């Protein structure tokens, strides 16, 4: 998988320009480098500007009903944390 970094980087680039969760399923997507692999991604932001993409790489038969909300919530929490650094909790 990691030998095909170029294809994976293209996929992350495309998904960073999309809004919300994106699902790319192996053979159905020309962006996924392997037929038996799927990728679920969501962009994250800092003060309204997209700065990156996070995602889960797994088999085409992954549990989408569990993975999609996790990716979505994680991207939202990361965006919130990066946009509001004053909301960090002090552990003292």
């Amino acid at each position: 998988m990691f030998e095909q970094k170029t294809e994976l980087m293209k996929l992350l680039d495309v998904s960073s320009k999309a809004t919300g969760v994106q699902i790319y399923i192996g053979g159905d997507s020309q962006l996924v480098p392997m037929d038996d692999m799927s990728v679920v991604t969501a962009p994250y932001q800092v003060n309204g500007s997209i700065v990156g993409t996070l995602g889960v790489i797994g088999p085409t038969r992954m549990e989408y009903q569990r993975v999609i909300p996790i990716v979505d919530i994680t991207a939202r929490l990361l965006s919130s944390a990066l946009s509001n650094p004053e909301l960090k909790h002090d552990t003292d």
Side-chain angles (χ1 to χ4, degrees), residues 37-77:
M37 179 182 85
S38 291
V39 182
V40 178
T41 65
Y44 59 91
Q45 307 173 8
V46 174
N47 299 322
S49 297
I50 294 173
V51 295
T53 302
L54 63 88
V56 172
I57 299 171
T60 55
R61 294 180 176 238
M62 75 168 90
E63 292 187 46
Y64 295 99
Q65 69 275 11
R66 292 185 67 205
V67 173
I68 293 168
I70 290 171
V71 170
D72 185 35
I73 291 168
T74 304
R76 291 173 192 257
L77 289 172

Side-chain angles (χ1 to χ4, degrees), residues 1-65:
M1 168 59 211
F2 290 103
E3 294 171 358
Q4 300 174 357
K5 292 178 191 176
T6 303
E7 288 83 4
L8 187 58
M9 292 305 292
K10 287 179 193 175
L11 178 120
L12 293 175
D13 184 51
V14 167
S15 64
S16 72
K17 294 177 176 115
T19 57
V21 176
Q22 301 294 307
I23 303 163
Y24 304 93
I25 299 175
D28 296 337
S29 171
Q30 295 183 5
L31 293 171
V32 177
M34 298 171 62
D35 285 342
D36 58 349
M37 179 182 85
S38 291
V39 182
V40 178
T41 65
Y44 59 91
Q45 307 173 8
V46 174
N47 299 322
S49 297
I50 294 173
V51 295
T53 302
L54 63 88
V56 172
I57 299 171
T60 55
R61 294 180 176 238
M62 75 168 90
E63 292 187 46
Y64 295 99
Q65 69 275 11

